[in-house]
């Protein structure tokens, strides 16, 4: 019997054109719709041997592994995934592998959101195309303004370099950030989170989600932002209290926000984030680029080849 491979959340139908799947002797089935319900997911995957999943959108808890006795290989994009129960995978004889993932796309999207907010790109484009007013916004300058970064890792440090190139004053803070690391990147170390928030004209989030960062920006923290400040989050939704952010936007307590991540994805049709004022939002596009997809799916094919040959590569965790 030929093995079956399901590719989850292939919204754009990109998997087939991003890699040469003919290199593996498997039947590939792309699932174009997101399956959030475990019953629906278990039914859809009941007759597959291999699953390729994107990022951390679909949880694989022990209960799901128990309902997929035919599953033998799970390939996740990226080399870190917090929603897979690895112990359960091992207990059910499922090998889990990852792929490389570039930090370049989220860096670029961060700046797309930040620039879009600063210069009112969406509003001005909509007005121009609909016969609206000629020039209705006054753009926020970047040169000389302060960019505050939460996190100075692989992504945050590259965002910092772009900010410096724009002539911005760049500061950064995280629980473990040292002056040596800040000096290495060429930015200022903020003495505290409140200091960074109260002085920044733009704040961008680049932290991993964990116990210490979940809800890091709540009502009290968002209240520290200037009314002229902008917040950008391309990291994880749970780092920013979603209700507090919605309130700040609705009440006009900050100038705007650029958001690429949400508490529920895909975002429900009636979710308030879809209609919030002062919000520039994208449907989790941070990792979605041609080169990244070629890496994800190309290495997924390599992982399947290696697994079928009896020598799995890029194993997780």
């Amino acid at each position: 019997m030929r093995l079956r491979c399901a590719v989850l959340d292939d919204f754009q139908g990109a998997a087939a054109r991003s890699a040469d799947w003919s290199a593996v002797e498997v039947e590939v089935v792309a699932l174009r719709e997101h399956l959030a319900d475990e019953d629906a997911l278990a039914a859809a995957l009941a007759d597959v041997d291999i699953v390729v999943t994107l990022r951390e959108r679909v949880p694989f808890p022990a209960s799901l592994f128990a309902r997929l006795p035919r599953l033998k290989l799970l390939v996740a994009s990226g080399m870190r995934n917090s929603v897979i129960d690895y112990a359960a995978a091992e207990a059910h004889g499922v090998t889990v592998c990852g792929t490389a993932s570039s930090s370049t796309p989220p860096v670029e999207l961060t700046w797309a959101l930040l620039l879009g907010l600063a210069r009112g790109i969406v509003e001005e484009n909509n007005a121009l195309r609909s016969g609206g007013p000629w020039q209705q916004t006054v753009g926020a300058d970047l040169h000389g303004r302060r960019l505050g970064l939460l996190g100075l890792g692989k992504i945050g440090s590259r965002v910092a370099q772009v900010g410096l190139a724009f002539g911005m004053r760049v500061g950064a803070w995280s629980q473990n950030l040292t002056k040596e690391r800040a000096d290495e990147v060429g930015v200022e170390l903020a003495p505290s989170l409140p200091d960074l928030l109260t002085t920044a004209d733009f704040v961008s989030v680049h932290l991993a989600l964990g116990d210490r960062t979940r809800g890091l920006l709540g009502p009290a923290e968002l209240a520290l932002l200037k009314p002229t400040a902008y917040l950008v989050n391309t990291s994880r939704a749970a780092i920013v209290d979603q209700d507090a952010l919605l309130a700040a936007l609705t009440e006009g307590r900050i100038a705007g926000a650029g958001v690429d991540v949400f508490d529920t994805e895909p975002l429900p049709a009636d979710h308030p984030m879809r209609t919030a004022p002062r919000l520039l939002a994208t449907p989790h596009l941070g990792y979605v680029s041609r080169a990244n997809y070629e890496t994800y799916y190309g290495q997924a094919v390599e992982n399947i080849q290696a697994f079928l040959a009896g020598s799995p590569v890029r194993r997780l965790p």
Side-chain angles (χ1 to χ4, degrees):
M1 182 185 301
R2 194 178 192 196
L3 298 180
R4 285 172 56 84
C5 171
V7 180
L8 301 184
D9 293 332
D10 188 14
F11 301 126
Q12 308 97 328
R17 59 179 183 270
S18 298
D20 180 10
W21 293 88
S22 67
V24 289
E25 290 295 323
V26 297
E27 178 187 354
V28 180
V29 178
L31 301 182
R32 301 286 297 270
E33 300 293 329
H34 179 68
L35 300 174
D37 179 77
E38 185 175 303
D39 290 339
L41 194 60
L45 302 181
D47 62 347
V48 302
D49 309 275
I50 302 166
V51 170
V52 177
T53 183
L54 270 179
R55 308 304 295 155
E56 297 173 315
R57 182 169 289 116
V58 178
F60 276 81
S63 57
L64 181 57
F65 282 114
R67 301 172 69 175
L68 302 175
R70 186 167 159 176
L71 182 63
K72 297 303 177 188
L73 174 64
L74 175 61
V75 179
S77 58
M79 291 301 294
R80 181 175 60 188
N81 195 302
S82 63
V83 299
I84 296 173
D85 186 329
Y86 295 105
E90 182 177 7
H92 288 86
V94 179
T95 299
V96 184
C97 299
T99 73
S101 182
S102 173
S103 61
T104 299
V107 171
E108 294 173 352
L109 184 71
T110 294
W111 280 102
L113 290 172
L114 194 152
L115 287 166
L117 285 167
R119 299 306 296 268
I121 299 297
V122 174
E123 298 93 329
E124 296 291 1
N125 177 69
N126 288 343
L128 186 147
R129 295 172 65 89
S130 64
W134 184 263
Q135 295 186 358
Q136 60 178 330
T137 63
V138 177
D141 296 283
L142 301 189
H143 186 85
R145 300 303 190 268
R146 186 169 181 82
L147 171 63
L149 300 175
L150 295 180
L152 199 61
K154 188 182 299 184
I155 295 174
S157 60
R158 297 184 68 174
V159 171
Q161 293 302 314
V162 178
L164 292 170
F166 273 119
M168 303 183 79
R169 296 177 292 118
V170 183
W173 177 90
S174 72
Q175 288 97 333
N176 297 324
L177 184 59
T178 64
K179 187 177 186 303
E180 289 73 23
R181 171 59 179 165
D183 289 344
E184 180 184 325
V185 178
V187 305
E188 303 171 22
L189 173 64
S192 67
L193 176 59
D195 180 83
L196 181 132
L197 296 176
T198 55
T199 59
D201 299 292
F202 299 87
V203 173
S204 191
V205 181
H206 303 287
L207 296 166
L209 179 61
D211 292 338
R212 294 193 303 171
T213 59
R214 187 179 300 275
L216 181 68
L217 298 186
E221 290 74 24
L222 293 178
L224 296 175
L225 292 171
K226 301 176 183 179
T228 55
Y230 296 89
L231 173 68
V232 176
N233 186 9
T234 58
S235 183
R236 289 292 182 268
I239 295 173
V240 181
D241 184 305
Q242 300 294 282
D243 291 337
L245 177 58
L246 281 167
L249 292 169
T250 301
E251 297 167 12
R253 289 188 276 109
I254 60 175
V259 173
D260 186 50
V261 288
F262 305 92
D263 51 4
T264 302
E265 296 183 7
L267 205 58
D270 60 350
H271 197 288
M273 278 289 189
R274 287 188 178 268
T275 54
R278 304 176 182 85
L279 178 66
L280 177 57
T282 47
H284 205 154
L285 298 178
Y287 63 90
V288 181
S289 76
R290 185 172 294 111
N292 231 13
Y293 269 28
E294 289 172 352
T295 297
Y296 289 168
Y297 293 120
Q299 291 193 3
V301 171
E302 293 174 2
N303 289 346
I304 295 170
Q305 286 178 307
F307 173 79
L308 295 179
S311 301
V313 294
R314 307 185 188 97
R315 298 191 66 164
L316 297 178

